[in-house]
Amino acid sequence: MNIAERILILDFGSQYTQLIARKVRECGVFAEIHPFNISAGEIRGLAPKGIILSGGPRSVYSEEAPHPTMDIFDMGVPVLGICYGLQLIAQHFGGKVDPAAKREFGRAHITVHGDQDLLANVPVGSQVWMSHGDSLTNMPEGFEVIAHTENAPICAVRKQDAPVYGVQFHPEVHHSEHGKQLLHNFLFNICKCDGGWNPETFIESATREIRARVGDEGVICALSGGVDSTVAAVLLHHALGDQVHCIHIDNGLMRKDESRGVIELFREHFNMSIDFVDASDLFLERLAGVSDPEKKRKIIGNAFIDIFDKEARKFNDAKWLAQGTLYPDVIESVSFKGPSVTIKTHHNVGGLPERMNLKLVEPFRELFKDEVRAVGSALDIPAEFIERHPFPGPGLAIRVPGEVTRERLDILREADEIYLDEIRKAGLYNDIWQAFAVLLPVQTVGVMGDERTYEHVCGLRAVTSTDGMTADWFHMPYDVLARMSNRIINEVRGINRVVYDISSKPPATIEWE
């Protein structure tokens, strides 16, 4: 991506690496995550205004410890090390890191040594978030301590003759009360960034990049009707005009009347061509008898590509397939940025076939959901599109754990519609990041009209989140839950029990599969 100024984040495997990028971007500076072992030449080519070394699960003194190219300290670019990053800096410059006598996980309170550049306007005693089992026990020569906590006498350091800094805590997480201030200080006081990265500048940069990459070739845009694909389609049309051919596929895994609504709303609001393909029978045939969630995702991914390859033949200029893939999708699917663990395969990332006839264009591959919403607003997309809850590419296939059948999907569709209807009636829709029903592969005994029933269990899920990387369960009012349960059991044949999911992410994921 062609960005005037950027901060480079080297990923050493921390669960918080993505949050660093989000916080930096919130400050108005573009942040880009790369593997820890990116070459010195590549770094110079990116010309970062500053470099941040993320945390990580390893010990710097272990044989398996990831290490960056040490040329980063000779580039004249400010460096900030976070947790593992601090320990890398200390070890490189001759300090000593050892297992901590007392490991530290959770809240701590920081004491700042004077009004320092990195810690300017960070109050003494403010809360920070710790997550480390090793500690810096011997300072490297030429460094000074600029903050400590009760358990960490060396909590933040800086090099006296160069812009190299390190903190033992995680300023990027919400629990570090003034963490964003620290990052702001690094960006503007130390790296001398100008700021100004926002949805409008992203649109300008993405438009130039899309035009340069695609040229005069055609793009098939996979339009699901969700936030990501809708914003992607409008952005691509903004960049390429009639070179974009939108296709909506009803895969039989959509919510009730979803496809009809997508076609009507899109044609009403946007002057773009859109073709409709009913492929529900094909998807359900391929999914028959399959229960493993990873297999479901791969089957769905392959089926989508088969259809798009076929549809693309109708357009002589079509060489590209556009998708609304987001950064969290990529992070959870593959360790492309660093030593992160694969959680699950997203059908539009790891679920794609190795060989396909269309080249991929994914303008939001480095963005988070809230950033895509902001881009959509800047493109004047109506709020009814922008504010929609996320809907997974594999659709309801991953909301019916176990085998996917037409009967189970129809039952789920009815329950899901009632659930969302009650959320809207209660005025809670925009307070929730994502809400959906799940049809469990479990049947339980019930009593209806003095008769014994043995029917499905419906699980209800609602979470609050900012970017989908972490989430908490939504505290649904009891009276609303009661109405939901009553309506679902009374109106949906095949369900006799309703449960509410109160799991956070982590340890659970938002979707059940």
Side-chain angles (χ1 to χ4, degrees), residues 329-346:
D329 298 338
V330 177
I331 290 298
E332 289 192 342
S333 296
V334 289
S335 306
F336 87 110
K337 288 292 188 186
S340 304
V341 176
T342 297
I343 298 171
K344 61 186 177 184
T345 298
H346 287 262

Side-chain angles (χ1 to χ4, degrees), residues 152-332:
I154 304 175
C155 181
V157 304
R158 71 174 175 184
K159 200 172 188 298
Q160 293 168 319
D161 62 354
V164 178
Y165 299 79
V167 294
Q168 186 60 72
F169 57 93
H170 288 271
E172 69 273 24
V173 304
H174 175 72
H175 301 295
S176 289
E177 293 174 330
H178 297 275
K180 190 172 179 180
Q181 178 65 53
L182 183 152
L183 292 172
H184 184 277
N185 291 340
F186 178 70
L187 298 172
F188 296 100
N189 297 349
I190 297 168
C191 297
K192 307 301 181 185
C193 291
D194 296 321
W197 187 81
N198 53 44
E200 288 76 13
T201 58
F202 170 81
I203 291 169
E204 292 174 8
S205 175
T207 297
R208 288 194 301 269
E209 184 174 319
I210 290 167
R211 288 172 178 168
R213 190 171 176 215
V214 173
D216 60 358
E217 295 176 332
V219 179
I220 300 294
C221 187
L223 181 65
S224 70
V227 174
D228 309 328
S229 66
T230 296
V231 180
V234 176
L235 174 62
L236 285 161
H237 189 258
H238 172 78
L240 301 172
D242 292 340
Q243 292 173 238
V244 180
H245 313 294
C246 290
I247 298 175
H248 174 72
I249 297 174
D250 182 357
N251 56 9
L253 308 171
M254 309 293 287
R255 288 169 291 202
K256 187 174 181 179
D257 296 328
E258 181 85 359
S259 290
R260 179 179 56 80
V262 167
I263 300 298
E264 290 179 357
L265 286 172
F266 215 84
R267 286 177 175 165
E268 178 183 343
H269 285 282
F270 307 114
N271 185 27
M272 296 169 58
S273 67
I274 177 170
D275 288 353
F276 172 71
V277 179
D278 184 355
S280 53
D281 290 342
L282 171 67
F283 278 84
L284 292 178
E285 285 170 8
R286 293 193 182 185
L287 288 167
V290 178
S291 298
D292 180 81
E294 284 295 287
K295 289 182 179 178
K296 287 183 188 178
R297 290 173 178 272
K298 290 184 182 297
I299 287 171
I300 292 167
N302 277 274
F304 268 121
I305 296 304
D306 287 347
I307 294 168
F308 281 120
D309 270 345
K310 179 180 178 181
E311 291 299 313
R313 297 188 194 114
K314 298 178 181 178
F315 306 98
N316 295 330
D317 64 342
K319 304 296 181 185
W320 298 83
L321 170 64
Q323 295 190 132
T325 306
L326 300 189
Y327 187 65
D329 298 338
V330 177
I331 290 298
E332 289 192 342

Side-chain angles (χ1 to χ4, degrees), residues 387-403:
E387 295 171 0
R388 298 188 74 186
H389 290 179
F391 187 67
L396 300 183
I398 58 172
R399 294 178 179 175
V400 285
E403 184 179 0

